[in-house]
Amino acid sequence: LHSRNQHATTLSVGDTLELVAEKGVYRGLGLFRAGGQVIFAPDVFAGERARLRIESIERGYARAKVEAVLEPSAARRASPCRYVPQCGGCSYQELQYAAQLELKARILRESLERAGVRFEGDVALRPSPEDGWRTRAGLHLARRGEEWLLGLREEGSHRVVDIQTCLQLSEGLNRAARGLLEALKGDPALLARLRGIELAESLDGSERVACLDTTLPVKEAARYGSATAELPWLTGLGVLSQAESRSGRFVQLRGEPYVYASVAGLRLRSHVRSFFQANRYLLADLVSAVLARVPEGGSALDLFAGVGLFALPLSAGGRAVCAAEINPFAIDDAIANAAAAGLDLRLERADVREALQRWPPARDERVVLDPPRTGAGREVVAALVARKPAAVVYVSCDPPTLGRDLRMFADSGYRLESLEAFDMFPDTFHLESLALLRPA
Ligand SMILES: C[S@@+](CC[C@H](N)C(=O)[O-])C[C@H]1O[C@@H](n2cnc3c(N)ncnc32)[C@H](O)[C@@H]1O
């Protein structure tokens, strides 16, 4: 064996060990144990024997790199992506899709168990096609010598992998991104001030908008418009100038900044700077699953409402809806979407914590809660349970913070009644889930 320390309790940076991965854990990592120490490494799956090199020692665990997979798992596959394993975008590209689903369902269960949340029911996980699913993407730009790189970051690093074709994206989005880079290569001074490109595509692929993330001042940002005159793959182009303020200022250069989605009989616009669910194939299923858990009529809150993806169909089903969203682009979209559909609901640009203090609780209230990855947190959970809602439908994109929040709900008398998951991010370690909570 290669290790000096295979059976010792202390590991040092640079040690090499041959070990078998005990299991896969969140963030696409394999978990190993050596002499009572836990080691995490990417690009390795449960049951695989691998040669690891220790990269860093953290509190209570070590991080390692896989130098070689010595005995691959039967679930390992040859990926059709040519950027594997260098690109950090897809941790599970080399894992068969059925095994990805199994792993994700187990990780979700374990996240709840670790948080001390009891749930004995089944967890159904809805699969997604693996290609071209992504309607939102953020690409980074970097320079290496004379070369410009546009793509995603390497696993565990800030280095950018130059990606000509990402399998998550439609052909149109790939072409739009590369077309922008090629056009801007004519003006290296502009490229030098570009940090990345955000992309948005409509569900049906008929609209495509790019937002150039730049450190150029607003006054000069229009130069990107003239440098990229002909871009047939884009219906809209804007810049986000981060020179004067931390949150940046958006300036529209060409076309419209919006893409559209038809969901639950409604047409929803979303600005390239608004949040919108990234998976085109599972969007309708997710919305139906939320609607099915909130009876028609009655009162509902939609917290972290985005462009009104849940709030508008809830309102269309005759519920009295109050929705809060902090992003100015998203709340503008939500208001425009409600007006276009002739729906009357309360849509406020507000921090959820503040809105919960102001809005009086309704009888038999239902709450849809769809926070960012950081989860709802203690303050929001406490404010919610104080309202005594009849049910909370928690849409989560991060199993560990879901576990933490469900534990707080459980401690306040809310029981997890059902849990299901949506593979909104196939081939990556990310997972969307839907938990229904009711008073115990
Ligand atoms: C996961 S997204 C969900 C959006 C929407 N429910 C959907 O599915 O399209 C979370 C949203 O919460 C918003 N947000 C983040 N922190 C917030 C806060 N403290 N108060 C209100 N909205 C917030 C973000 O801008 C984002 O639109």
Side-chain angles (χ1 to χ4, degrees):
L1 291 181
H2 298 249
S3 170
R4 291 179 284 114
N5 286 332
Q6 182 96 26
H7 301 291
T9 45
T10 43
L11 295 169
S12 305
V13 171
D15 283 355
T16 55
L17 305 86
E18 283 184 20
L19 293 170
V20 174
E22 184 180 307
K23 61 179 179 177
V25 298
Y26 194 49
R27 301 190 193 289
L29 300 172
L31 182 150
F32 298 81
R33 289 182 202 271
Q37 292 231 40
V38 170
I39 305 168
F40 294 114
D43 306 320
V44 63
F45 305 122
E48 293 191 320
R49 173 173 286 278
R51 188 165 65 244
L52 306 179
R53 176 179 288 276
I54 303 296
E55 299 251 286
S56 71
I57 310 287
E58 314 288 339
R59 273 175 85 97
Y61 65 95
R63 287 180 193 278
K65 202 179 152 128
V66 173
E67 288 195 332
V69 174
L70 306 168
E71 289 168 27
S73 156
R76 192 175 268 271
R77 68 179 182 186
S79 163
C81 174
R82 61 182 149 128
Y83 305 103
V84 164
Q86 192 196 8
C87 174
C90 290
S91 302
Y92 299 149
Q93 266 294 348
E94 290 180 288
L95 190 59
Q96 284 168 19
Y97 189 62
Q100 293 185 26
L101 295 178
E102 244 172 69
L103 173 57
K104 288 184 176 185
R106 192 176 51 65
I107 287 172
L108 179 59
R109 276 187 175 285
E110 285 186 5
S111 297
L112 300 194
E113 273 165 32
R114 284 171 70 87
V117 176
R118 279 173 60 98
F119 183 68
E120 265 123 45
D122 291 333
V123 181
L125 206 174
R126 227 168 280 217
S128 162
E130 289 176 82
D131 284 345
W133 50 271
R134 194 180 264 289
T135 58
R136 298 268 159 168
L139 303 177
H140 304 284
L141 183 78
R143 187 179 190 159
R144 190 176 52 205
E146 289 306 295
E147 238 187 314
W148 288 99
L149 315 173
L150 180 67
L152 301 178
R153 292 195 169 126
E154 284 182 25
E155 167 63 43
S157 149
H158 285 285
R159 281 191 300 266
V160 172
V161 183
D162 188 53
I163 296 177
Q164 304 280 338
T165 306
C166 173
L167 300 178
Q168 297 182 4
L169 305 181
S170 67
E171 187 193 347
L173 271 190
N174 277 309
R175 286 190 187 244
R178 300 313 294 190
L180 278 168
L181 178 63
E182 284 311 312
L184 290 172
K185 277 183 181 168
D187 192 338
L190 279 185
L191 266 181
R193 303 297 290 272
L194 188 63
R195 305 201 308 188
I197 303 177
E198 289 172 46
L199 297 164
E201 188 173 55
S202 60
L203 271 201
D204 64 4
S206 62
E207 295 113 19
R208 232 166 269 125
V209 178
C211 173
L212 303 169
D213 180 2
T214 180
T215 57
L216 267 192
V218 170
K219 274 203 301 214
E220 292 176 59
R223 285 168 55 198
Y224 286 104
S226 18
T228 55
E230 272 311 307
L231 285 172
W233 296 97
L234 289 175
T235 50
L237 178 68
V239 275
L240 180 71
S241 163
Q242 309 250 23
E244 288 99 351
S245 75
R246 210 161 58 89
S247 56
R249 262 187 58 199
F250 180 83
V251 182
Q252 186 62 17
L253 298 177
R254 260 210 308 282
E256 265 206 26
Y258 312 111
V259 294
Y260 293 82
S262 290
V263 190
L266 297 162
R267 184 168 145 87
L268 302 181
R269 93 172 193 205
S270 57
H271 193 281
V272 64
R273 297 284 299 143
S274 298
F275 173 91
F276 199 74
Q277 298 288 346
N279 185 306
R280 56 163 43 90
Y281 303 119
L282 295 185
L283 185 70
D285 286 352
L286 179 67
V287 173
S288 319
V290 168
L291 290 183
R293 282 156 184 77
V294 183
E296 295 205 349
S299 296
L301 302 186
D302 182 7
L303 304 179
F304 307 96
V307 308
L309 180 70
F310 305 128
L312 268 60
L314 285 168
S315 166
R319 302 155 186 100
V321 177
C322 294
E325 164 59 47
I326 208 161
N327 175 326
F329 296 100
I331 198 72
D332 280 357
D333 289 337
I335 291 167
N337 290 333
L343 293 171
D344 183 20
L345 64 158
R346 182 169 182 173
L347 290 163
E348 285 189 16
R349 180 179 178 201
D351 186 315
V352 159
R353 285 165 294 194
E354 184 269 323
L356 281 174
Q357 284 176 4
R358 237 176 340 102
W359 296 346
R363 253 194 73 234
D364 210 27
E365 187 173 78
R366 318 280 157 147
V367 179
V368 176
L369 184 63
D370 183 11
R373 278 186 204 146
T374 45
R378 181 167 299 280
E379 206 181 325
V380 169
V381 173
L384 276 179
V385 296
R387 303 171 74 89
K388 301 192 179 2
V392 176
V393 182
Y394 191 141
V395 182
S396 158
C397 55
D398 186 74
T401 56
L402 175 70
R404 180 204 65 197
D405 289 348
L406 293 193
R407 174 61 196 266
M408 291 192 267
F409 275 111
D411 291 345
S412 309
Y414 278 78
R415 189 174 62 81
L416 177 55
E417 190 174 289
S418 70
L419 179 64
E420 67 179 296
F422 296 81
D423 195 20
M424 301 287 272
F425 312 93
D427 302 329
T428 79
F429 66 77
H430 296 289
L431 181 62
E432 193 83 7
S433 53
L434 183 69
L436 175 65
L437 308 171
R438 282 191 205 279

